[in-house]
Amino acid sequence: MVSEAMLPRAAVKEVEARLTAAGCPDADFDARELFRLATGRDVRLSDRPLDAAEAAKLEELTVRRAAREPLQYLCGSWPFLDFELAVGPGVLCPRADTEVVAETAAEMLAGVEAPRALDLCAGTGCLGLGVKRLCPAAQVVCVEKSPEAYVYLEKNTRLALKGRGGSTENVLDASPFEEPAFDWGMKPTRAAEPVEGDLFTYWESLPEGQLDLIVSNPPYLTAQEMGELQPEVAKEPAMALEGGEDGLVFYKAIAEHYQKALRPGGALALEIGWQQREAVTALLEANGWADIACRKDFGGNDRCVTARRPK
């Protein structure tokens, strides 16, 4: 147990041992992060013993992490590209592999002035905000169905890119459950505009040929994969993970309904599961998409399928 007057390195060693025993991956990293959260100090640079409040906080965090609560939720924010996103229970944790999708999507906007982009199943907004960060001229709308996730999306569109080239301003908070109206001709008061909406019906409200990019990390786990989740992932919202029996229901809707919202030559970038390249490619081909390609993530797995509306 972590106790008052423990030296930092001894406390971190104690935490690491308990996290290892609980089966937590990367227990050494997590232990250092929990120490930082509890004390505001870097264990490598501090030798002051823990006071009572620090010890109590570190013990609390250790218990929660040992119960396999995601480290991202304990931190309350997590890095994506070069900015931080608010994160917590009810929203999918941003992952490093998804950065490949944001980078790929932004690259597809090369040469487009003031592009208009749509992020479907936005969650924290990592993809839409990533595109905005890499392509500051872009106007981005982020669509999310879950009220719990929308709270984080609303906050991140206001705050995540402040000081990093975003176009956010100090504005009064909108209700997190009120669907904001968005006029493509307006100068946004946020880095991106959050909208509460359902991917399966949102296409009905989109005018034809107005978007330059659609990007999405939709739920894509199969029913079998949902029954085999590691404990941390099982604590993330199933709504953001489950893609139907075959993991493809969201891709089917995107392939069938969203092409006309893009201008001719407009781009589509989709995160996929590591075994889904062939299936997603087939869906896009069957619905007349052009220039279909796949990009791998940092681990060498298929991660992002791209396509364009035919010119």
Side-chain angles (χ1 to χ4, degrees), residues 26 44 52-53 61 72 99 114 126 138 147 154 161-162 168 172 184 197 207 223-224 226 241 254 270 290 297:
D26 302 317
R44 299 169 299 177
L61 291 170
Q72 295 93 327
E99 294 178 3
C126 63
E154 190 278 332
L161 295 188
K162 277 194 171 182
T168 56
L172 293 175
W184 289 107
Q224 179 179 342
M226 287 297 296
L241 298 167
I254 293 171
L270 301 172
D297 61 24

Side-chain angles (χ1 to χ4, degrees), residues 78-81 93-101 103 297-298:
W78 201 252
F80 187 82
L81 295 174
C93 299
R95 289 163 166 82
D97 287 337
T98 302
E99 294 178 3
V100 172
V101 186
E103 292 168 351
D297 61 24
F298 305 119

Side-chain angles (χ1 to χ4, degrees), residues 114-194:
R116 298 173 176 179
L118 177 66
D119 178 6
L120 295 169
C121 302
T124 59
C126 63
L127 279 177
L129 290 168
V131 168
K132 178 68 174 180
R133 177 69 179 120
L134 297 169
C135 185
Q139 295 185 49
V140 181
V141 169
C142 297
V143 178
E144 175 54 50
K145 180 180 179 180
S146 163
E148 292 79 15
Y150 186 83
V151 173
Y152 296 98
L153 176 62
E154 190 278 332
K155 181 176 182 179
N156 286 328
T157 57
R158 283 187 292 112
L159 302 175
L161 295 188
K162 277 194 171 182
R164 295 189 178 274
S167 56
T168 56
E169 300 171 4
N170 290 322
V171 295
L172 293 175
D173 289 353
S175 166
F177 303 112
E178 176 184 348
E179 181 172 319
F182 185 68
D183 181 348
W184 289 107
M186 290 176 58
K187 179 182 178 181
T189 57
R190 306 166 180 264
E193 189 69 16

Side-chain angles (χ1 to χ4, degrees), residues 67-80:
R68 308 301 289 274
E69 186 170 347
L71 178 64
Q72 295 93 327
Y73 287 179
L74 297 178
C75 292
S77 67
W78 201 252
F80 187 82

